[in-house]
Amino acid sequence: MSLVNPHGGGNLRPLLLEGDAAKVELARASALPKVVVSSREAGDIIMLGIGGFTPLDGFMTHSDWQGVCDGMKMASGLFWPIPVTLSTNDETIAVGNEIALVSNESDEILATMKVSEKYVIDKAHECMQVYKTTDTEHPGVKMVMDQGKYNLAGAIKVLSTGGFTEKYGEQFMTPAETRAKFQAMGWTRIAAFQTRNPMHRSHEYLAKIAIETMDGVLIHSLLGNLKPGDIPAEVRSEAIEVLTKNYFAPNTTIQAGYPLDMRYAGPREALLHALFRQNYGCSHLIVGRDHAGVGDYYGPFDAQKIFDDIPKGSLETVNMNIDWTFWCNKCGGMASQRTCPHSKDDRILLSGTKVRSMLSEGQTLPVEFSRPEVAAVLQKYYQGLSAEQNVKVELKGHSAA
Amino acid sequence: MSLVNPHGGGNLRPLLLEGDAAKVELARASALPKVVVSSREAGDIIMLGIGGFTPLDGFMTHSDWQGVCDGMKMASGLFWPIPVTLSTNDETIAVGNEIALVSNESDEILATMKVSEKYVIDKAHECMQVYKTTDTEHPGVKMVMDQGKYNLAGAIKVLSTGGFTEKYGEQFMTPAETRAKFQAMGWTRIAAFQTRNPMHRSHEYLAKIAIETMDGVLIHSLLGNLKPGDIPAEVRSEAIEVLTKNYFAPNTTIQAGYPLDMRYAGPREALLHALFRQNYGCSHLIVGRDHAGVGDYYGPFDAQKIFDDIPKGSLETVNMNIDWTFWCNKCGGMASQRTCPHSKDDRILLSGTKVRSMLSEGQTLPVEFSRPEVAAVLQKYYQGLSAEQNVKVELKGHSAA
């Protein structure tokens, strides 16, 4: 048995330059015209840098964009569920130019790019195809609608990991690093648990079902930007740390993070989550209720169903679907709608709003809902927030992804 | 998606005659020389009758026997882990004879057979290869050692299901019937839960892990003979009935039974369990701790490991391994050694002897160990036994298979 292959079937393709090559390119880059990139674009650049978007060599062309929007495949025929594009309003950039891509947050030069194509897209079409809505209340749609007038395609050379290495240390693992770790552990059947929220008992249950039947779980946190009010990565990370230390057997979990921003594209993003987990070496992606969703734009299990609709062989990494999970008093244990025959009244279900208000007020959460050690980390965080900040915070009670 | 193919890749091969053909053959059979068969052999005949041993056409030849003992394959190359043989001490039976096979319990004619080969085996060799011991304290070894001097090979025509249909009604499902049922339910990913004991919470947990990730579970009870002291099939069946009714979601389990006697061959029997579950249409066999074991003849996870040692493609039905399971007070839920980091002191573990004595004395079992409804069924059974019978009863606390 061996690990799943990187997407496309070849080797990992990290676009990050290192050592002298990086220094030379950085020196050259400082003289190039600068294009400022958004937080989402910066995350994509870093993901391309570490090989998470293997086998892409940069940002997509118009025909790639069209194929991905309309049929989830690039011009080459390669399966890809969400456009990876770069935009600008700069009228002066022309095909053939070399440009430096600069973070809008840190002013750091993240990459250089040779512009192979400059094109205009139908943003509303992308939103309808990918997000199933053009409602700009949807944070992913808003990101597309806020893009520049032009998209720029081209191969990139990545020069930085944008501060993630410094901020998250060993937790910021590259696909090559998770693969090496899995091999050192002798793991081949690995479920990725995608998370952008702290893990309560319902999420622990999902991860443990995977552990019961596989070699281990990669608890894989999004370290990029979230919508306002989501729990910051460092708090999540601490909460996951106390959970695994106290409630998981040794050598069954690895906690790591990846640099992308959430797009909240629901089903399409679940496919992207599986795609890049294949690059990280995971054989399975746990897909629970409302995976990568936001608001009511997607049905609670649309992100599971979409895996049945893609052509066979699109991905080696497969979905491991799990239904809505909770503690049930009559079951006397964790369960899901597939394993519990009892009624809602027997189940401990707390809304996100309720959880947040309990934690902000220093109340203890029921032990059936959250481990006391986890609740304590969150309590500390919420109580450190100002009253005004607290109002904005929205903690989702059951969707981690 | 479709169901797994019957073993060998062809159609199911039930050897049972029905209607007029059965009547004619039965009339003919009554004039044939009779060979009395043991309970194990009777179970094998009925299994051949309903197609559970597809694609066998009868009892094995010497070269089949040798190949199965030494390399788990028949002369044809077909994978088979345990000999399916018929024995006799009758010196008068000769190759070419037609004989009637008669139950040693009911005197019923179960089948006719044309003897194609009469041969002597090295019983100790079979025992060492299949059971890993020649100790006649081992009930499977004893069965082999008690066999007649000669083995008889030949194709059989089956005339009866030996009373199972009458005794167990709809629960005695044939492979064709379980397959039809799975198709009607729209199931393709089905785990078989092998059981020869009542289901306590540890077994419920195994089944529910499968349900969380698959279409459903076939709770598949052995209806043939067990070693003295095991719980009778009808009591088990009632206990499973109250369990599924009260603690499983509708349309996630099917309870059925099969006619074999236990051989207690541990790892080799786990492979046989997977093989005939393939005929029943199950894609997976749940393999827990000490599957099909007895005493200390096998390591607790030998029956899981053997699946890694058979040639790829031997079986379509695969093993779903689950570690030793229990309630843990610190976890506050069911767990296994793979998901619980706590110590033995935190776990609710009762020996079989302890469970039996508690039930016999009318004590309640901890709700973390057994569902009250299940415990009540068992209590009623134990309290109905005489004191002398009770001493003989041995209830295993954690191994269902």
Side-chain angles (χ1 to χ4, degrees), chain A residues 201 204-205 207-216 244-252 320-323 325 327 330-342 371, chain B residues 201 204-205 207-216 244-252 320-323 325 327 330-342 371:
Chain A
R201 283 199 67 178
E204 177 188 329
Y205 181 60
K208 285 188 167 176
I209 291 170
I211 292 171
E212 293 295 9
T213 57
M214 299 193 198
D215 297 328
T244 54
K245 200 181 113 204
N246 289 290
Y247 296 97
F248 282 75
N251 301 321
T252 59
M320 173 179 172
N321 296 339
I322 307 194
D323 210 308
T325 57
W327 174 277
K330 281 212 180 127
C331 288
M334 297 305 300
S336 80
Q337 296 200 117
R338 281 193 55 73
T339 49
C340 166
H342 308 116
R371 299 297 188 182
Chain B
R201 282 200 67 178
E204 177 188 328
Y205 181 60
K208 286 189 168 177
I209 290 170
I211 292 171
E212 293 293 8
T213 56
M214 299 192 199
D215 296 328
T244 53
K245 200 181 112 205
N246 289 290
Y247 297 97
F248 282 75
N251 301 322
T252 59
M320 174 180 172
N321 296 339
I322 308 195
D323 209 308
T325 57
W327 173 276
K330 281 213 178 125
C331 288
M334 298 305 299
S336 81
Q337 297 199 116
R338 281 193 54 75
T339 48
C340 165
H342 308 117
R371 299 296 187 184

Side-chain angles (χ1 to χ4, degrees), chain B residues 88-141:
Chain B
T88 183
N89 284 316
D90 193 328
E91 304 282 351
T92 68
I93 307 287
V95 170
N97 285 175
E98 297 214 59
I99 56 177
L101 305 179
V102 178
S103 163
N104 69 343
E105 288 174 352
S106 66
D107 288 337
E108 186 189 11
I109 296 176
L110 299 173
T112 61
M113 170 168 159
K114 175 139 187 184
V115 180
S116 65
E117 197 180 326
K118 185 175 187 181
Y119 61 97
V120 174
I121 57 162
D122 178 346
K123 292 180 183 175
H125 181 72
E126 175 171 338
C127 291
M128 277 311 295
Q129 293 296 103
V130 174
Y131 298 91
K132 307 290 170 206
T133 176
T134 53
D135 182 355
T136 51
E137 293 291 306
H138 185 300
V141 168

